[in-house]
Amino acid sequence: MKAYLKKQRKAGRSVGLVPTMGALHQGHASLVRRSVAENDVTVVSVFLNPTQFNDKTDLEKYPRTLEADCHLLEECGAQVAFAPSVEEVYPEPDTRHFSYPPTDSVMEGAMRPGHFNGVCQIVSKLFMYVSPDRAYFGEKDYQQIAVIRRMVEDLGFDIEIVPCPVVREESGLALSSRNTLLSPEERTLAANIYRVMKESLSLDKTVQQTHDYVVENINQIEGLQVQYYSIVDGDSLAEVNSWDDADSIVGCITVFCGSAPIRLIDHIRYK
Ligand code: PAF
């Protein structure tokens, strides 16, 4: 992959990177198509990164579909699918420690200790291997983008981070690799998450009341259990108490769905 990219660079071609963990769906396809449109060469990494899973059962349950992934990438026009083994990426345990509070210490950072450290470990490695001009990340993982922006600033990577909008099913459910683990009934239930968050946009209530509205209305639905709903500054991810506290305000949610249960995340922009 490095030799191939060296040739492309020599020929003056720009490179886009789309980091993924595989189990690709139309959400990923939208990132890949965007990279293909904006760069001469698109590299898509398919690597189920063990260091970002604090829960090893979650890692075991994660769908693995490399062959189907490669077909989708070909259809989207990507030039390279980069799927290294765990041993190639981590010949030795990665002992590097990244810390960018509050972006990585709140919400997912608090619920999944070590998760963003693992994300920074793999994304920094991918940035070093590929050295892309641009890297594409789905806004579905809103907090991840905030953390990666801080890492890019901290380590001085000369890489443009391109956030791409969430792709949703017609029902409003955000596309996610984890959706394949939901039964058809659970999928229908899960669509209520975005429906309730969207309703909360037009409430004309305080931040606290809006928070409570979302949590109460989702928890009322049997089979859904909110783990947290945080209304935060869209850049620093610090919690806000009033709508005037920040220029950009986003609500980030995590909900357990069904009996397994499957943990789903989503977000909505208030301003
Ligand atoms: O968003 C993901 O799929 C992963 O966190 C990423 C960025 C590919 C790193 O493993």
Side-chain angles (χ1 to χ4, degrees), residues 114-125:
H115 168 66
F116 287 118
N117 195 51
V119 169
C120 288
Q121 287 176 339
I122 185 60
V123 172
S124 61
K125 275 180 181 263

Side-chain angles (χ1 to χ4, degrees), residues 17-247:
L17 169 68
V18 185
T20 81
M21 296 203 297
L24 304 184
H25 49 67
Q26 287 305 315
H28 295 108
S30 74
L31 310 188
V32 177
R33 291 203 176 94
R34 173 118 181 236
S35 173
V36 168
E38 295 180 355
N39 302 279
D40 300 314
V41 175
T42 290
V43 177
V44 182
S45 60
V46 180
F47 180 68
L48 191 49
N49 175 39
T51 73
Q52 70 189 75
F53 285 83
N54 55 323
D55 175 355
K56 294 300 162 204
T57 2
D58 199 18
L59 173 61
E60 280 156 26
K61 275 198 290 192
Y62 208 89
R64 292 159 169 85
T65 58
L66 185 59
E67 211 171 301
D69 293 347
C70 290
H71 286 305
L72 182 71
L73 296 180
E74 249 183 289
E75 256 172 54
C76 294
Q79 282 77 11
V80 182
F82 176 56
S85 67
V86 173
E87 293 71 28
E88 278 175 293
V89 175
Y90 298 112
E92 297 291 333
D94 194 333
T95 54
R96 293 172 303 155
H97 187 69
F98 299 84
S99 174
Y100 304 115
T103 59
D104 63 349
S105 56
V106 296
M107 303 190 289
E108 291 302 281
M111 296 295 156
R112 303 172 67 189
H115 168 66
F116 287 118
N117 195 51
V119 169
C120 288
Q121 287 176 339
I122 185 60
V123 172
S124 61
K125 275 180 181 263
L126 291 169
F127 283 1
M128 289 186 281
Y129 299 153
V130 177
S131 209
D133 298 279
R134 298 179 193 86
Y136 296 78
F137 294 91
E139 275 191 327
K140 159 131 194 320
D141 295 305
Y142 189 86
Q143 184 171 7
Q144 174 168 273
I145 298 183
V147 174
I148 289 171
R149 282 192 193 286
R150 289 283 309 275
M151 183 195 73
V152 163
E153 242 171 61
D154 178 38
L155 301 184
F157 282 116
D158 189 11
I159 298 170
E160 184 190 342
I161 301 301
V162 185
C164 303
V166 180
V167 179
R168 298 183 181 279
E169 289 183 359
E170 229 173 273
S171 67
L173 175 63
L175 295 198
S176 161
S177 306
R178 285 164 204 261
N179 294 357
T180 58
L181 304 171
L182 298 171
S183 69
E185 296 75 33
E186 288 168 342
R187 246 173 209 246
T188 312
L189 274 186
N192 287 296
I193 302 169
Y194 188 59
R195 178 185 61 74
V196 173
M197 284 200 298
K198 239 173 49 185
E199 273 171 22
S200 79
L201 289 179
S202 47
L203 289 181
D204 201 19
K205 292 195 185 292
T206 65
V207 169
Q208 186 61 47
Q209 288 165 336
T210 306
H211 167 274
D212 296 349
Y213 176 90
V214 169
V215 174
E216 282 160 21
N217 279 277
I218 293 179
N219 281 346
Q220 260 174 26
I221 300 165
E222 213 187 309
L224 296 183
Q225 181 68 48
V226 176
Q227 187 179 37
Y228 65 78
Y229 187 49
S230 299
I231 301 183
V232 297
D233 178 319
D235 299 315
S236 73
L237 307 190
E239 286 222 13
V240 297
N241 297 311
S242 128
W243 297 117
D244 296 327
D245 278 359
D247 294 334

